[in-house]
Amino acid sequence: MQTYMQNWTQVTEFVMAGFAGVHEARLLFFTLFFIMYLFTLAENLAIILVVGLDHCLRRLMYFFLTHLSCLEIWYTSVTVPKMLAGFIGVDKGKNISYAGCLSQLFIFTFLGATECFLLAAMAYDRYVAICMPLHYGSLVSWDTCIRLAAACWLIGFLTPILPIYLMSQLTFCGPNIVDHFFCDASPLLALSCSDVTLKETTDFLVSLAVLLASSTIIAVSYGNILWTLMHICSAAERRKAFSTCAAHLTVVSLFYGTLFFMYVRTRVASSINFNKVVSVFYSIVTPMLNPLIYSLRNKEVKGALCRAFFPKSWKGQ
């Protein structure tokens, strides 16, 4: 134990390995991820501004979209800038302090859990609007939505507290190279000299609880929506609604599929490179696609964007 403690005092920071296997193409990857990051920021900021400025969009369904857009900006900003710094070899761009690493893991887990519950709240909102339209005003009021959103953020914030506390109790005696592009739990556990059984079990149970609870709400909500549409809507309305639901479910399936693969398991992953590819999908690709699927394909949002950014051309129509 004394040896561990002496080594522990030397491990004051970690080094992010990132995508070490693409060294020759690092500028290409930097450009690709930088463009994706800028695109994610631009489209989410556009949605926040348009919903905030356009009175036609001051409705409950867009209330959740603004929360989701704010979350996506923070979600990608936690990991992508550090990854980009590592690609171009900025001074100590790959280095991160021990406290910074745990903070990054905490914030990333907090935002990921919050997104799961926000997507569930949005699915419930659509379920009530389509399946129980006459009761929508009483079941989904502004007060209800504010409470739902607050609950999503609060539960998301509480989710990583125990896992991060257990991580902080582990001993790291070297090496300090994290084989990932951000401080994720699995590569950190691979560096620990302590017994990680309790930590792995806790991560598994917490991840399972968050993903099962939120995905069950989403599955039940969309299942009832599809059942209602099959029996009530006309053929044209049914096709339109099916198209929207299919688009939503595609992104949700991608997000939840990758999260289930990465976090609902009890053993440290062996295929690190494959895990990095999967992580790219839920940490970079999905935040970029969400605004396109949930908002920018919507006629009301597109109309609001035209009114905001091209007022003269809009008036002329």
Side-chain angles (χ1 to χ4, degrees), residues 82 122 152 183 189 200-201 217 311:
K82 189 68 177 177
M122 292 169 66
C152 292
C183 288
L189 292 179
E200 287 184 329
T201 303
I217 294 172

Side-chain angles (χ1 to χ4, degrees), residues 164-200:
I164 296 300
Y165 170 75
L166 293 177
M167 182 71 79
S168 69
Q169 301 305 300
L170 299 179
T171 300
F172 295 89
C173 50
N176 66 339
I177 298 177
V178 180
D179 197 358
H180 213 301
F181 61 88
F182 70 96
C183 288
D184 203 5
S186 182
L188 284 176
L189 292 179
L191 300 179
S192 176
C193 304
S194 307
D195 182 5
V196 298
T197 303
L198 176 60
K199 167 61 176 163
E200 287 184 329

Side-chain angles (χ1 to χ4, degrees), residues 221-239:
S221 297
Y222 277 111
N224 280 282
I225 288 172
L226 294 175
W227 179 262
T228 300
L229 294 175
M230 289 175 63
H231 290 81
I232 297 179
C233 295
S234 66
E237 292 174 331
R238 187 162 56 242
R239 283 193 298 271

